[in-house]
Amino acid sequence: AIERTLSIIKPDATKRNLTGKINAKFEDAGLRIVAQKRIQLTVDQAGQFYAVHKERPFFGELTEFMASGPVVVQVLEGEGAVLKNREVMGATNPADAAPGTVRAEFAESVGENSVHGSDAPETAAEEIAFFFSGLELVG
Ligand code: CMP
């Protein structure tokens, strides 16, 4: 089925001017960027987005990192987009990421891992609504 998923290019990647190279990997995999904006999150906003991780030991590190520089939030659309995006990203820990994936090529550590992608269609809908209104999605 045609799906949409929420993707974030994280501060470690925007700082190194990797937005275009990462977008090329998404587009080459058949994912269409149907919405995109570059924003600066506050620690509070990052905490709202990652609320599901509130009790994790790395929550403070994660939210401060996500507020440490610009992020590019985007909606990717395509056949099986949630899983396809996760394949293009590679494993959370770059040490485990398959060759050619975004994280294998660009991520610096498990925390500074260049990209976020929704983990299921239901969370994708919630995460898209966190950043975008329906009018901002142009297929
Ligand atoms: P992401 O897909 O954005 O979802 C939650 C994030 O938490 C994850 O990617 C990692 O970047 C981050 N994360 C997971 N484990 C750790 C860890 N041990 N230390 C720091 N950050 C982590």
Side-chain angles (χ1 to χ4, degrees):
I2 301 290
E3 294 173 347
R4 286 172 169 172
T5 192
L6 189 279
S7 167
I8 306 178
I9 301 179
K10 297 187 180 186
D12 67 286
T14 63
K15 281 179 183 166
R16 288 178 288 149
N17 264 1
L18 294 171
T19 300
K21 285 185 173 145
I22 292 171
N23 279 349
K25 286 191 182 290
F26 294 148
E27 293 186 333
D28 288 349
L31 294 165
R32 183 179 302 279
I33 302 165
V34 298
Q36 175 167 261
K37 55 191 172 188
R38 181 173 165 106
I39 59 174
Q40 170 73 54
L41 293 173
T42 65
V43 174
D44 242 47
Q45 289 167 334
Q48 286 170 42
F49 179 77
Y50 280 119
V52 62
H53 296 308
K54 207 162 39 196
E55 306 304 327
R56 303 277 192 106
F58 56 80
F59 182 72
E61 186 186 324
L62 172 63
T63 55
E64 278 172 32
F65 166 61
M66 291 301 286
S68 70
V71 296
V72 175
V73 294
Q74 49 194 188
V75 179
L76 308 179
E77 181 182 273
E79 186 65 37
V82 173
L83 189 61
K84 188 172 283 180
N85 179 41
R86 296 181 71 77
E87 289 169 1
V88 175
M89 288 194 295
T92 303
N93 186 340
D96 303 326
T101 60
V102 171
R103 284 163 171 161
E105 286 192 19
F106 302 128
E108 304 193 295
S109 65
V110 67
E112 306 202 359
N113 64 352
S114 302
V115 281
H116 164 82
S118 307
D119 62 6
E122 302 71 41
T123 38
E126 292 174 14
E127 292 183 355
I128 290 168
F130 185 87
F131 287 112
F132 293 98
S133 79
L135 283 176
E136 293 177 296
L137 310 184
V138 183

